[in-house]
Amino acid sequence: MLALCPALLWGQAKAPTPASVVKPTWASTLTKTPVGSFPLLAPCRVTYDLSWNNLMSAGSAKVTMQESGPYQVAKAEAGTSALARALWSYDCVMTSVMERSSLRSLHMEHSETDSRETVAYWVNFGASQISTLTKLSPKKGAVTTSTNICPYGPADDLQSAILYVRSQPLKQGDSITRVVQPFDRPYLTTFTVVGREQKKVEGVAYPTIKLDIKIRKLDRKTLVPGSFKKVKTATIWVSDDAWRLPVEAHAEIFVGFISATMTKREELKGRQAQGALPTGFGKP
């Protein structure tokens, strides 16, 4: 799922007072059960190839999961390559911090660079709101910063959402709905188990759990949901084994069909299993 991010997919701002926030009607549809009984993911590194319209390799992505004291630290790096890079130069790095026991998202830092600009986000996930600092650095022009407060919490970043879904029973027909903020805006995201099937990926056959994903955009001030026209459909296949990680993902988006296929997964031991917390963690 994370490998699809490139294509999907502090100044001061006054937070709304509790009296001004109305509980959204969709809140009752959220899945709020605790982390499931499936064993927590051990420190590991997973790599993916990205392709566009089944015609050409578009880039690669790497996700590294590590531990730091009581925290889980996930770092993802992705970028375009070869001909795709000539058409669209893009690189991104995302680091997220969550409580290892509860998988509750605490902090996320994300930077993405294309031929025109670099955009960086620092996101703090609170119990009742999400605070986002955005810094825009164009190749030409002045640097600007802005702060946004979304009056809803708790919520997931992309990494913690995947780990939360992974922890659940994932029986046929199960549906999990969470508020997920992968960049600077929250989305109402539903994962539905539609079946189990054998999936051959990079010449290797995996037993998989097939999940359909429905995404609705949330207005970060009013929390009113709306359609997410950039993503028409999205599906991921999670390996039905001890790893329970995506081995393939498809998305039909506004520029065509994109996919990600796993090329390697490896467990990390010793010092490689220990990660550093990002510099912004713990700051307001």
Side-chain angles (χ1 to χ4, degrees):
M1 178 67 173
L2 176 63
L4 296 178
C5 281
L8 286 188
L9 6 220
W10 195 297
Q12 297 298 317
K14 186 177 179 181
T17 61
S20 67
V21 178
V22 178
K23 186 176 181 180
T25 55
W26 48 256
S28 61
T29 69
L30 295 179
T31 305
K32 298 182 179 181
T33 54
V35 172
S37 59
F38 198 82
L40 293 175
L41 182 66
C44 62
R45 182 181 294 113
V46 190
T47 58
Y48 296 88
D49 273 347
L50 312 178
S51 67
W52 177 69
N53 279 350
N54 287 326
L55 296 176
M56 64 178 177
S57 176
S60 62
K62 176 175 66 176
V63 183
T64 304
M65 196 72 62
Q66 297 171 304
E67 297 176 354
S68 180
Y71 305 115
Q72 193 95 345
V73 182
K75 183 176 182 179
E77 303 166 84
T80 54
S81 62
L83 178 58
R85 193 168 187 84
L87 298 172
W88 182 42
S89 176
Y90 181 92
D91 296 286
C92 74
V93 178
M94 179 191 299
T95 303
S96 63
V97 181
M98 64 205 85
E99 291 180 346
R100 191 159 63 248
S101 57
S102 68
L103 298 181
R104 187 172 83 85
S105 184
L106 301 173
H107 180 82
M108 186 267 287
E109 297 182 9
H110 178 205
S111 175
E112 53 184 351
T113 300
D114 62 22
S115 58
R116 298 176 304 166
E117 61 193 16
T118 295
V119 185
Y121 310 106
W122 292 263
V123 185
N124 287 328
F125 294 87
S128 60
Q129 67 178 32
I130 309 168
S131 305
T132 304
L133 167 67
T134 302
K135 180 180 179 181
L136 174 62
S137 304
K139 295 292 177 65
K140 298 180 180 180
V143 174
T144 59
T145 61
S146 61
T147 300
N148 286 288
I149 304 294
C150 173
Y152 189 85
D156 294 306
D157 64 30
L158 187 58
Q159 313 270 33
S160 65
I162 291 171
L163 293 181
Y164 175 83
V165 170
R166 175 188 178 277
S167 77
Q168 300 302 311
L170 299 184
K171 298 178 181 178
Q172 177 74 29
D174 281 359
S175 185
I176 299 168
T177 300
R178 305 281 282 186
V179 175
V180 181
Q181 178 160 319
F183 305 108
D184 64 335
R185 181 182 299 276
Y187 297 86
L188 194 62
T189 308
T190 299
F191 305 82
T192 302
V193 179
V194 296
R196 278 171 162 76
E197 60 185 53
Q198 287 288 119
K199 188 75 173 173
K200 197 169 186 178
V201 179
E202 299 292 322
V204 179
Y206 296 94
T208 66
I209 305 167
K210 184 179 180 182
L211 299 168
D212 274 356
I213 305 172
K214 303 298 182 187
I215 305 171
R216 284 188 289 167
K217 184 167 56 177
L218 293 176
D219 186 288
R220 58 187 167 203
K221 293 182 179 180
T222 67
L223 302 179
V224 173
S227 60
F228 188 33
K229 296 180 180 178
K230 288 186 177 181
V231 179
K232 299 176 182 179
T233 62
T235 305
I236 61 175
W237 287 263
V238 175
S239 60
D240 195 7
D241 55 18
W243 290 82
R244 257 203 189 181
L245 285 176
V247 296
E248 188 163 342
H250 296 172
E252 187 72 34
I253 65 172
F254 66 106
V255 295
F257 174 82
I258 61 172
S259 64
T261 54
M262 187 187 70
T263 58
K264 185 178 181 181
R265 60 186 186 184
E266 55 185 322
E267 189 173 352
L268 301 179
K269 299 283 189 179
R271 294 181 62 180
Q272 284 193 323
Q274 302 303 308
L277 294 171
T279 56
F281 180 62
K283 296 181 181 180

